[in-house]
Amino acid sequence: MSLRVLERDPNGRTSSGVSVGSEYAVEPERTLDAASHTKKSHYTQLVDLAAKVFLPEGYPNSVSGDYLQYQVFNALQAFCSSLAGLLSSRALLEGFGVGNANASATHALLLTVLQDIFSRITTICAAYMVGPSLSPEAKTFRLLADVCNDAAIILDTLSPLFSSPALPIKLPGARVAALCLSGALRAMCGIAAGGSKAALTMHFATPVGGAGDIGDLNAKDSSKETVLALLGMLAGSLIVPYLTTPMATYSVLFALVGLHLALNYLGVRGVVMRSLNRQRTTLAWDAYRETADTKVPSPTDVAGLERIFQRPDLLRETKTNSVAGVCTIGSSLNDVLRGSTIPPILLEHMKNEQYVLWFDHDCLLPRPTGQHDLRPGAVHLHICLKEGNSTVDQLKGWVHAVEVGKMLLLQQRASFPRPGPAEIILAAHRRVDSLFPHFLDGLKTVGWNTSDAVLLPGSPRALIVSIEAVDSNLPLDAKKED
């Protein structure tokens, strides 16, 4: 019996083999299109080779749909950054005394050490302060990294000017301060770029219809960056010698920096993240409510509404651009209740939820009866999580807070008196409780990864283990013992 095997590789080429007796013959490779039997041109072969060298294995099926657009803008911005870096390097060498007969190597060494000290201290502080936010706010920190890098380039380029005799105002130590600040900005760039790049790589390597190879994608990205850096240095080597005046140098520098930031913004703007963070959850729920609770927006719809630089805890209404306030997730309920109380009816109503939503005590006005009213203006909500909460519970808690904000804005526009804090939280919970299952199913249907939602940056301040009623007539020490 003869056997025929037909195979197709990831690039669409097919090959077949036929067994006759004990021998097996493989036919030459061919493609499935109409031009499959024509010999490939040298240009086509070169393009195929470049694709194999610089694109991940299995492209385009192994990456997300927004990968190529981002890489195009990323390549252009890397070229601009390489050119601007050459200008800053030349100015930095001049600042260290290259070409100055009175400069000493020891002075240049001490400047380098001082700059390195500020850089390392900034690395430690930045990792502590923004580390937990790098993954959920990857787009923000990716663009922020380039802003910091460009600011460092500008400071390095302008540093010789601070010690120039032509400067009308003498600023002692200004050049040293500029160099130290540029080192700190570069360190901040390294932290922001490293953390956000890891999150973006995870996104690009997880296409909707399959799974990619993160290691291969990182390796190919490094290859592209190496080639672009080489091209930038070669182009800069031809251009920089002609920039002999400060006016020409600064004009080219600011043009490159402006183009670099614009390309970065376009690249980051085109990324369509499928994981939910606080801002994307707010936009998704707001869009869902605007369609009379019928249509859940897709990741592409939300990406078009997303703001790159916005506080992630803002409760903003998209249609009116009004801000109801802010919300903090993972707060300690003991800290929130200092100076205020929470009505027992609210705790009873939400006893089956894995969170407690309440207002910050600064938003509350005490009544003589012991209850509270809401102060005018923006509010501050806290989501206090219970032990055993899941990602879905955090998602529901954040949606609950967004709904409270929408109700407050609606009542403010209608000039209605503000209801009590417990009443509005209960009303919002009843609405969310009825709509959330449909909303959650819709998110999964349109392509959101609800299991990868990152609404809580880092760890919660505390988790609620239990909430029990105690006799208010007991002394405080007795309540603690109970």
Side-chain angles (χ1 to χ4, degrees):
M1 182 182 68
S2 299
L3 183 67
R4 182 182 181 88
V5 178
L6 181 65
E7 295 179 331
R8 180 173 56 190
D9 65 14
N11 296 319
R13 291 188 295 269
T14 62
S15 61
S16 62
V18 179
S19 65
V20 180
S22 60
E23 296 183 358
Y24 193 84
V26 179
E27 298 178 357
E29 292 185 352
R30 64 180 188 276
T31 57
L32 295 177
D33 56 11
S36 61
H37 299 290
T38 60
K39 187 177 180 180
K40 289 186 177 182
S41 64
H42 294 294
Y43 173 77
T44 305
Q45 293 176 356
L46 186 62
V47 171
D48 288 344
L49 178 61
K52 289 181 180 179
V53 173
F54 298 114
L55 292 177
E57 189 69 26
Y59 176 86
N61 299 322
S62 61
V63 294
S64 58
D66 52 357
Y67 174 78
L68 183 60
Q69 177 182 335
Y70 176 81
Q71 290 300 320
V72 170
F73 285 114
N74 190 53
L76 294 174
Q77 67 86 18
F79 183 78
C80 293
S81 180
S82 182
L83 288 175
L86 282 180
L87 294 177
S88 79
S89 297
R90 184 178 70 173
L92 193 61
L93 292 173
E94 292 176 359
F96 283 156
V98 174
N100 185 358
N102 298 323
S104 66
T106 302
H107 181 259
L109 176 63
L110 292 177
L111 277 178
T112 304
V113 170
L114 186 61
Q115 192 177 32
D116 192 50
I117 289 173
F118 275 84
S119 175
R120 293 177 186 274
I121 292 175
T122 303
T123 298
I124 297 171
C125 296
Y128 168 73
M129 294 177 64
V130 303
S133 301
L134 292 175
S135 179
E137 310 301 332
K139 296 172 69 172
T140 298
F141 283 100
R142 180 65 188 87
L143 187 57
L144 179 63
D146 289 295
V147 172
C148 292
N149 183 62
D150 287 345
I153 288 175
I154 291 173
L155 284 173
D156 284 343
T157 308
L158 296 179
S159 60
L161 185 64
F162 295 136
S163 58
S164 173
L167 194 67
I169 302 176
K170 301 301 180 183
L171 299 173
R175 182 169 66 87
V176 176
L179 292 176
C180 292
L181 181 58
S182 72
L185 287 170
R186 278 199 170 85
M188 181 64 197
C189 168
I191 291 293
S196 59
K197 183 180 179 181
L200 290 174
T201 302
M202 285 284 294
H203 162 71
F204 291 136
T206 52
V208 177
D213 187 341
I214 296 178
D216 180 52
L217 192 145
N218 266 327
K220 298 299 174 57
D221 285 350
S222 298
S223 298
K224 289 193 291 286
E225 291 171 1
T226 301
V227 172
L228 292 167
L230 288 172
L231 292 176
M233 285 189 289
L234 290 174
S237 300
L238 299 176
I239 297 173
V240 169
Y242 293 98
L243 304 177
T244 55
T245 63
M247 180 61 68
T249 300
Y250 300 147
S251 298
V252 173
L253 172 69
F254 285 107
L256 288 172
V257 167
L259 183 60
H260 176 241
L261 290 177
L263 290 170
N264 267 292
Y265 176 80
L266 293 174
V268 172
R269 188 74 182 165
V271 176
V272 181
M273 302 291 285
R274 298 187 305 280
S275 59
L276 289 163
N277 63 2
R278 286 169 287 179
Q279 183 184 175
R280 287 191 283 272
T281 303
T282 303
L283 293 171
W285 178 258
D286 195 50
Y288 172 70
R289 298 286 283 115
E290 288 295 327
T291 60
D293 314 325
T294 58
K295 182 182 178 182
V296 177
S298 66
T300 304
D301 297 332
V302 171
L305 302 171
E306 197 173 359
R307 298 189 177 193
I308 304 301
F309 288 122
Q310 175 183 294
R311 283 184 58 177
D313 57 355
L314 276 185
L315 302 176
R316 183 190 297 275
E317 191 176 52
T318 308
K319 185 177 180 180
T320 62
N321 200 29
S322 303
V323 177
V326 297
C327 180
T328 303
I329 186 170
S331 302
S332 166
L333 186 58
N334 285 324
D335 292 342
V336 173
L337 293 182
R338 288 177 182 172
S340 65
T341 58
I342 186 168
I345 187 175
L346 179 61
L347 294 175
E348 178 65 24
H349 186 83
M350 299 184 63
K351 64 181 180 180
N352 294 325
E353 300 292 352
Q354 292 298 309
Y355 67 92
V356 173
L357 182 67
W358 190 237
F359 293 92
D360 190 86
H361 56 81
D362 290 336
C363 304
L364 302 175
L365 287 171
R367 295 181 189 171
T369 60
Q371 297 179 342
H372 295 84
D373 289 322
L374 281 175
R375 293 181 185 271
V379 298
H380 185 181
L381 288 160
H382 291 274
I383 301 173
C384 307
L385 300 171
K386 296 181 181 179
E387 199 171 39
N389 71 89
S390 65
T391 302
V392 174
D393 297 319
Q394 297 175 18
L395 185 62
K396 186 176 183 180
W398 189 265
V399 165
H400 188 181
V402 175
E403 185 63 26
V404 170
K406 286 181 67 66
M407 295 178 69
L408 287 172
L409 290 174
L410 180 62
Q411 291 164 353
Q412 180 180 338
R413 287 194 294 268
S415 300
F416 291 154
R418 280 195 167 186
E423 287 81 0
I424 195 165
I425 287 181
L426 288 173
H429 181 261
R430 284 190 288 269
R431 184 168 296 174
V432 169
D433 203 39
S434 62
L435 297 176
F436 187 73
H438 178 261
F439 176 68
L440 185 62
D441 291 339
L443 289 174
K444 297 175 183 177
T445 302
V446 297
W448 289 101
N449 294 331
T450 55
S451 59
D452 295 335
V454 187
L455 299 168
L456 176 64
S459 302
R461 294 285 301 274
L463 292 174
I464 301 172
V465 178
S466 65
I467 302 177
E468 299 176 355
V470 295
D471 189 353
S472 59
N473 295 321
L474 289 175
L476 183 61
D477 293 339
K479 293 180 186 179
K480 290 181 179 178
E481 291 175 3
D482 291 345

